[in-house]
């Protein structure tokens, strides 16, 4: 019955990224982006793209054919930013859509 399907198949539901953590190392000019996105099948349910903007200008776009690890992953991005710049990171799941986080450079 349908109740059996809903009770025993919760892992089939795709979810967008659950969290994005952003840090900026001004000395090295590196943006660290960590994305939490749990996937049980990295070939079928994964982060397909990350878009990074600074002050609403596109800086970098990463496209992935699969997610590198089940709990999520990180990227180091070379980025020259100044205090007050607004960095936005959007991570897009191939099945469940985007999650976006903004960060103001201290």
């Amino acid at each position: 019955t349908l109740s059996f399907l809903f009770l025993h198949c919760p892992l089939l539901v795709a979810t967008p990224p659950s969290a994005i953590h952003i840090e900026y190392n001004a000395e090295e000019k590196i943006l660290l982006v960590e994305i939490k996105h749990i996937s049980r099948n990295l070939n079928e349910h994964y982060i397909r793209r990350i878009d990074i903007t600074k002050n609403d200008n596109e800086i970098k776009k990463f496209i992935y054919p699969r997610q590198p690890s089940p709990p999520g992953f990180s990227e180091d991005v070379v980025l020259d930013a100044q205090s007050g710049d607004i960095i936005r990171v959007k991570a897009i799941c191939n099945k469940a859509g985007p999650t976006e986080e903004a960060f103001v450079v201290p």
Side-chain angles (χ1 to χ4, degrees), residues 11 28-29 61 92 100:
L11 300 177
E28 295 184 22
K29 297 184 180 195
K61 190 175 283 197
I92 303 166
E100 185 172 329

Side-chain angles (χ1 to χ4, degrees), residues 5 9-14:
L5 181 64
C9 298
L11 300 177
L12 297 178
V13 177

Side-chain angles (χ1 to χ4, degrees), residues 53-104:
T53 63
K54 180 178 82 171
N55 302 326
D56 294 325
N57 296 309
E58 185 177 297
I59 298 298
K60 185 78 175 172
K61 190 175 283 197
F62 295 91
I63 298 174
Y64 305 95
R66 72 186 300 272
Q67 187 170 309
S69 68
F73 61 100
S74 64
E75 284 288 351
D76 291 340
V77 181
V78 176
L79 177 67
D80 187 12
Q82 307 301 316
S83 178
D85 284 346
I86 300 170
I87 310 297
R88 293 186 190 281
V89 176
K90 182 190 288 186
I92 303 166
C93 170
N94 71 319
K95 300 235 182 229
T99 297
E100 185 172 329
E101 189 68 41
F103 173 80
V104 178

Side-chain angles (χ1 to χ4, degrees), residues 7-23:
L7 290 174
H8 296 350
C9 298
L11 300 177
L12 297 178
V13 177
T15 58
S18 59
I20 299 173
H21 177 75
I22 306 167
E23 287 183 33

